[in-house]
Every structure is written in structure tokens, then in C-alpha cells.
Amino acid sequence: MTTDSLDRTPADGPDGDCEAVRAATVLRLERAMGALGTAAVARMEQRLFWFREMSAEDRSWVGLVAQSGVAAFVDWFKNPGRGRPAIAVEVFGTAPRELTRSVSLQQTVEMVRVVIDVVENQVGELAAPGGEQQLREAMLRYSREVAFSTARVYARAAEARGAWDARLEALIVDALLHGDREEGLQTWSASLGWSHTPVIAIAGLLGDQDAEEVLADLRALARRAGHDVLAGVQGERVVVVVGVNEGDAADPVAAAGPLEGLFGPGAVVVGPPVTDLQAASRSARAAVDGLRAARAWPDAPRPVPAEDLLPERALDGDEAARRKLIEDVYLPLRGAGSPLLDTLTVYLEHASSLESTARMLFVHPNTVRYRLSRVAELTGFTPSDGRGSFALRVAVTLGRLAERG
């Protein structure tokens, strides 16, 4: 049956009997409207398990939609010259927008099918004699319009939801960067379906790319990997907060690796893993501070842990980096006794030469070598390594300046 044949029902012809049959059918439909809506809801409760599990409020809204659908069909059937029915307004306009979150598109299609089945099963009683085919064809046209309108309703809801989610993500990222630890963070993230812990933050530059495209690609790639993700753009900076599993948290740089290529030119900095989103502010701020300071290390790997940028961050005024270098490097060295700290200081001052250091301290080079290995064990930085010696020098300098007061 073609669309044209559906549009040409017998009532559209010149035969006045068709109009009389239609009028008689309309009377029967109007008398049966309440019963049809009630029967449709009863059939849903019988056939759709998820409908039975809905809240009483949502079931009442669905029942109202079913009643409105039947009433809108009767009104449209009564006035065939009105053209296409305004289903989105007359039917779905009766329910709140929140219902599209409680009822999926597939479930809506199942409900529509139930309502149509209920009406079709009673065509013999509802149609006036000789009007059965007329009613069936009208129902076919109407169900087609319902299908199209349902798709449009959910498409608009998805578009609005997507825009809201993007704004909410940007709000959460901004709150994390400003150290907001209120309970609102958990509420907001729950509304986005956030579930994973621990968390890492990644910061990079946008470059000349389109912000919306970059964010969409970052979200899609992270979600394909099974991660929860929040992303936002702040000026030229892109910040991504990723919920990962325990294994990925052990190597955050590897977890961030697949996303690295989506950032613009320049450094991509990975904050330290934290236990959950509530603590993600520390990771996000470390990543952003590291990105700002990364200019001082042009040869930094990409991505680079924010912890590897501690010296640059400290020199750039990052108080958290200064405290960490003092607490994790200088204080353990000072607590281990003057030989270690003195040996390291002389070693750094004498171009990392074992022999020169040994002569200055009047000890054997092997003693110097042993003490330097102890420095590496205590601090995690190797004095003979270029980056390690730089970090140690900065940490010792900061520690001594802190003791000045």
C-alpha cells in the first residue's frame, strides 16, 4: 500500500455515504475514548514488565499520554481535512520533559504498539457498518505520524540533554580547578552517570582546532575505552577529567596516551591519580599548573606527568610543588644527617664529579657513590641524571630558603 493510497481514504471521495459512515464511527469512538485509554494502560501493565516497575507518578503520566493519544486520534479522524495531526503538541505535550528520561525511545515505541493493538482489536465494534477499512487506514496513517513525532520528541530531548551535559561538564571542571569540594560535585557528576574511581586529570592546549569537535572526540574516545569523562575548554586550555580503573591508575601516563593526539601542539600534562572525583581538584590543578610551567622544559615527553614538572612548577610560583619538593626531597635528606646533604651539595656544585666531590670531602669516591645512591633511594631523583640533579638542586634551595624564617 502506497503513501498516496493511505492519504485517499473513502471519506475523501465524493460519496456522501462515506461521510455518514465516518460520522457514525466518530460517535462510537467518542463514546469509547475513556474505555480505550483505560484498556491500553491495563494492557501495558500486563505486557510490559518495565511499565509495572515505574513509579506511580510516571505511570499516571504515561496513562495521560495514552488517553491524549486516543483523543487526538478521534479528533483528527473527525476532521480529515485538517491535514497531518499535531501529535507532538496534542499527545506528548501533555507529559513533562522529564518523562523522556524515565521512558526510553524503545519503550515508547512498545507503548504506542500496545495502544494501536488495543484499538485495532476493537475495530469491529468501534467502526460503523461498512467503515472498518476506513478506520484501519486512518489508524495506519495516524500510527505513522506517531512514529515520526516520537522520534522528533526524543531527538529534541537528546539535543537539549547534550547541551545541558556539556554545560554541566564545564561547570564541574571549573569547580575542580577552583578547589570546590562541595557535595554539589557528587550530585552533578551522578546526573552525568559518573561511576568510576580513581580519577586522573589531563591538561593540554586547544591550538587552532574547533573546541566542540575536540571535546566530542575526547569524550567519544575515552568512553570507548570504558572510562567516565568530563571535559571543558577554558580559553586556549583543554582540561579532561577521566575516571579510570585501578590498573590504569597505576600508570596514568599510559591511560592518558590514547587521548594525547587529540590535543593541540605543546605539552600534554597528566595530574596524579586521586581516589575519586571529590579529590580530583588536586589532580586537575596539578595538570594545569604543569601545563603552564611546561614551557620551561621544551623537551618534555608528551604526555608528561605533572610530578615530573615539579621544579618548573616550583620556579613558576606553584606553592603545592614547592611544598612537595621540600617535604619529599629536602626534609628526608636533612633528616638522614649532614653527610648525605653535604655530599649532594658538593656534588652538584662540582659539575657532578665523583672525584672532585671525594677530594673536597676527604672521602673515597666509593663513599660518595654510596651516599648518592642513598639520596636517590630517599628522594626518587638520581643525582647523576640531568633532570634529577635539577630537581634536587631546586629542592635543596627551596628547603634552605624555607628555613630562613
Side-chain angles (χ1 to χ4, degrees):
M1 182 179 295
T2 66
T3 301
D4 291 340
S5 65
L6 291 178
D7 291 336
R8 292 194 301 268
T9 64
D12 298 322
D15 190 354
D17 291 341
C18 292
E19 293 300 329
V21 170
R22 178 185 294 272
T25 300
V26 167
L27 289 175
R28 295 188 177 200
L29 289 171
E30 289 176 338
R31 286 195 295 268
M33 278 196 302
L36 287 173
T38 302
V41 173
R43 186 72 62 85
M44 290 180 202
E45 292 179 346
Q46 180 184 13
R47 292 174 50 179
L48 307 177
F49 73 92
W50 52 263
F51 181 78
R52 296 191 296 271
E53 296 174 354
M54 293 176 67
S55 66
E57 182 181 8
D58 284 342
R59 285 201 308 273
S60 66
W61 278 117
V62 170
L64 181 59
V65 170
Q67 295 278 5
S68 299
V70 173
F73 169 71
V74 173
D75 183 65
W76 173 76
F77 184 76
K78 183 179 180 180
N79 302 282
R82 196 176 59 175
R84 298 174 64 181
I87 294 172
V89 175
E90 296 175 348
V91 180
F92 297 110
T94 61
R97 292 183 179 179
E98 290 78 7
L99 192 62
T100 58
R101 299 187 182 182
S102 303
V103 183
S104 69
L105 177 58
Q106 180 178 351
Q107 291 170 340
T108 303
V109 171
E110 291 176 356
M111 289 192 301
V112 170
R113 184 178 294 119
V114 168
V115 174
I116 292 173
D117 286 346
V118 167
V119 179
E120 280 186 333
N121 290 337
Q122 300 185 42
V123 165
E125 293 78 18
L126 294 172
E132 292 83 358
Q133 183 64 22
Q134 185 184 62
L135 182 58
R136 285 194 179 92
E137 290 185 357
M139 286 182 56
L140 185 56
R141 286 185 60 194
Y142 189 78
S143 62
R144 180 185 65 186
E145 294 298 332
V146 168
F148 290 148
S149 294
T150 301
R152 284 197 295 269
V153 167
Y154 276 83
R156 284 197 298 269
E159 184 178 355
R161 171 73 177 180
W164 166 247
D165 285 355
R167 290 193 295 271
L168 187 56
E169 283 190 33
L171 181 64
I172 295 174
V173 170
D174 185 70
L176 290 174
L177 291 178
H178 288 85
D180 189 343
R181 291 175 174 268
E182 295 181 1
E183 291 299 321
L185 281 177
Q186 295 289 43
T187 303
W188 296 340
S189 60
S191 69
L192 293 172
W194 188 279
S195 60
H196 287 88
T197 58
V199 174
I200 62 171
I202 310 167
L205 297 176
L206 180 64
D208 58 358
Q209 304 177 94
D210 180 77
E212 293 302 322
E213 291 183 3
V214 170
L215 293 179
D217 291 343
L218 284 168
R219 293 184 188 111
L221 187 56
R223 286 165 182 161
R224 279 200 299 271
H227 302 315
D228 287 331
V229 59
L230 302 170
V233 173
Q234 299 180 327
E236 291 298 314
R237 187 173 62 203
V238 181
V239 180
V240 184
V241 180
V242 182
V244 297
N245 54 45
E246 295 290 342
D248 290 328
D251 190 356
V253 172
L259 304 178
E260 171 267 326
L262 298 177
F263 291 87
V268 174
V269 183
V270 184
V274 293
T275 54
D276 53 31
L277 188 63
Q278 196 76 353
S281 177
R282 181 166 63 87
S283 183
R285 294 171 72 177
V288 170
D289 290 339
L291 179 64
R292 186 174 58 247
R295 179 184 294 273
W297 187 13
D299 296 328
R302 176 179 159 132
V304 58
E307 301 294 282
D308 288 2
L309 288 158
L310 283 174
E312 288 82 3
R313 289 167 53 193
L315 294 174
D316 195 40
D318 183 349
E319 288 298 329
R322 290 185 179 188
R323 286 194 303 271
K324 188 168 183 61
L325 284 174
I326 293 172
E327 294 170 0
D328 293 357
V329 178
Y330 178 73
L331 293 181
L333 288 175
R334 192 187 64 175
S338 59
L340 283 189
L341 190 56
D342 292 344
T343 299
L344 174 63
T345 302
V346 174
Y347 180 76
L348 295 176
E349 292 294 338
H350 287 79
S352 301
S353 169
L354 285 173
E355 291 75 12
S356 297
T357 303
R359 286 196 300 270
M360 289 295 298
L361 296 175
F362 302 103
V363 297
H364 193 276
N366 284 342
T367 301
V368 175
R369 188 176 288 109
Y370 169 75
R371 291 176 179 175
L372 294 179
S373 68
R374 287 284 297 135
V375 169
E377 290 175 5
L378 283 173
T379 67
F381 293 105
T382 304
S384 60
D385 174 71
R387 287 291 302 174
S389 64
F390 175 52
L392 289 166
R393 184 183 291 273
V394 172
V396 171
T397 303
L398 291 173
R400 287 173 172 162
L401 289 174
E403 290 180 336
R404 185 178 50 184

